[in-house]
Amino acid sequence: MESRFDLKTALATWRQFQVRRQGFLTEDLDELEVHLRAHMAELRHQGMSDEAAFREAVRALGDLADAEPAYRRVYWGKLRRRSQVMDELRSRATMLGNYLKIALRTLRRQKGYSFINIAGLTLGMACCLLLFQYVAFETNFDAFNTKKDRLYRATFGYTRGDGQEGVSATSVLAFGPTMAEHVPGILRYARILPTYGGVVLSDPGASDSRSLTEERALFVD
Amino acid sequence: MLPKPLVAASVRPIILTLLADQAMYGYEIIQRVRTISDGQIQWTPGKLYPLLHGLENQGLIEAFWRPSEEGPDRKYYRLTERGALALAGEKQSWLDLNAILVRLWGPDVHLQPAR
């Protein structure tokens, strides 16, 4: 048994889908409904049935989701012209207040459920943060050395004469050889001394005596 | 079909011109443009209506509802005085551009057969 096609119902159903869209006033939907009716009139004139005309008219209208951005762009201008800006803001503020009311009510009445939700989200966020931090740290090392898995930078923990303790990335001359001697795991060591201002090389005795300055020199052994 | 940029650039002058002559509602406008352009320009409602609303916001056109025989009231648009000024500006711009092209292509360009 075929169900009869009812235009009013079809249009009402169509409208129900569009009513939630952002940027569409009731007036705008009315206008679009008129468009559908006008198109349907022409299609019926060409011989189509009511239902086929409706389907074709809706199809020709296109997906209103694509039109949403354009409608939203003119939305506030429309409100301004009708002096409805304050009304709209008031209504949105009320909605926000409603959402808050419901949230607090739910929290109060469903303590267990709320706890699970909040605890779960918190746990998830905490794990994410930790993971990000870990990955950021681990990927922060220099990776260009082929032997990077066996390279270490020796840092220096000290206690000063006045009792103050500290950690430093720099150390003393004897650090390298002493560590190499006393710690069996150390294969080789290198000591680096930046020049902090560059070096000048000159050989006054040479035949073409010139001075060379190098800003980024390192003393290494 | 005309290329998209040209279709997009010509929407304003066309709408303003049509609404200067007579008040029309959205569907009517789309039909008229399709007829006048021999099908080369086919506007979609999703693009036309926001544009009309934008022109209305700018005060170039004004809207009013008129009852129709076959159902709910229709929203008609017509040109305002500000719109008439804007139309004159658009018209001048297009004619100037056309003059430049005619100068480049020679005055006989209009005698070539249409598509």
Side-chain angles (χ1 to χ4, degrees):
Chain A
M1 185 58 155
E2 237 177 73
S3 53
R4 279 251 324 259
F5 175 75
D6 180 29
L7 181 60
K8 267 211 175 72
T9 319
L11 281 170
T13 313
W14 171 84
R15 204 166 171 130
Q16 254 190 338
F17 278 108
Q18 314 307 335
V19 108
R20 297 207 123 263
R21 290 198 187 277
Q22 290 225 4
F24 287 81
L25 296 165
T26 310
E27 206 176 294
D28 299 332
L29 292 180
D30 290 338
E31 190 175 30
L32 288 169
E33 188 179 317
V34 162
H35 184 104
L36 287 174
R37 283 174 179 272
H39 194 184
M40 282 181 61
E42 182 175 328
L43 292 169
R44 275 200 302 253
H45 188 71
Q46 294 172 4
M48 267 197 200
S49 72
D50 269 15
E51 184 168 355
F54 174 76
R55 287 192 197 283
E56 174 56 25
V58 170
R59 190 204 61 82
L61 196 67
D63 186 3
L64 288 182
D66 300 329
E68 236 179 279
Y71 268 91
R72 283 164 71 176
R73 240 171 281 139
V74 293
Y75 185 66
W76 286 99
K78 283 182 206 169
L79 292 178
R80 226 171 289 140
R81 211 164 22 84
R82 291 146 215 250
S83 319
Q84 287 177 344
V85 175
M86 282 319 291
D87 297 336
E88 174 76 7
L89 290 174
R90 220 168 283 141
S91 132
R92 290 196 184 193
T94 315
M95 269 321 278
L96 193 64
N98 271 328
Y99 286 135
L100 274 157
K101 220 184 283 178
I102 293 184
L104 283 155
R105 188 191 304 164
T106 312
L107 191 54
R108 215 167 290 153
R109 295 193 189 166
Q110 312 239 27
K111 294 199 178 66
Y113 173 78
S114 303
F115 172 78
I116 291 175
N117 266 307
I118 295 176
L121 282 168
T122 312
L123 203 62
M125 280 165 58
C127 288
C128 260
L129 283 169
L130 285 171
L131 280 167
F132 281 134
Q133 290 217 306
Y134 177 78
V135 171
F137 181 75
E138 291 294 324
T139 51
N140 219 8
F141 292 91
D142 286 338
F144 49 77
N145 267 302
T146 44
K147 302 190 185 126
K148 61 181 189 248
D149 295 327
R150 295 190 288 164
L151 283 174
Y152 293 86
R153 178 183 191 158
T155 55
F156 195 61
Y158 59 86
T159 312
R160 293 211 308 226
D162 61 4
Q164 184 145 60
E165 296 186 354
V167 176
S168 164
T170 56
S171 51
V172 297
L173 192 62
F175 194 56
T178 315
M179 292 291 288
E181 197 183 311
H182 292 287
V183 179
I186 296 181
L187 294 175
R188 298 226 287 270
Y189 69 91
R191 295 179 291 188
I192 302 174
L193 176 64
T195 54
Y196 300 115
V199 292
V200 176
L201 293 134
S202 65
D203 186 4
S207 48
D208 65 335
S209 154
R210 294 180 302 171
S211 287
L212 303 172
T213 311
E214 176 54 63
E215 296 288 327
R216 297 164 53 177
L218 296 172
F219 289 120
V220 179
D221 79 346
Chain B
M1 286 289 293
L2 289 174
K4 272 206 190 127
L6 291 182
V7 171
S10 58
V11 191
R12 267 172 71 114
I14 295 180
I15 291 186
L16 295 175
T17 307
L18 289 175
L19 297 181
D21 292 333
Q22 121 195 43
M24 293 196 264
Y25 61 99
Y27 186 71
E28 208 180 344
I29 297 177
I30 296 184
Q31 294 296 87
R32 187 72 112 71
V33 167
R34 190 182 310 162
T35 314
I36 285 190
S37 70
D38 282 324
Q40 288 189 69
I41 302 182
Q42 308 205 15
W43 293 341
T44 55
K47 297 214 187 80
L48 176 68
Y49 286 111
L51 226 126
L52 288 169
H53 301 161
L55 290 171
E56 196 188 356
N57 286 348
Q58 292 170 18
L60 301 181
I61 60 181
E62 63 188 359
F64 58 96
W65 293 86
R66 206 189 268 171
S68 94
E69 338 78 49
E70 53 111 47
D73 296 354
R74 291 194 184 129
K75 191 175 183 186
Y76 282 77
Y77 298 89
R78 66 172 153 234
L79 202 66
T80 61
E81 278 189 27
R82 269 179 80 178
L85 289 169
L87 171 58
E90 296 266 344
K91 205 166 173 180
Q92 193 54 56
S93 303
W94 278 90
L95 293 174
D96 290 344
L97 181 62
N98 194 50
I100 297 173
L101 292 172
V102 167
R103 211 176 301 158
L104 288 170
W105 291 330
D108 299 332
V109 66
H110 292 302
L111 300 178
Q112 288 174 22
R115 300 214 276 112

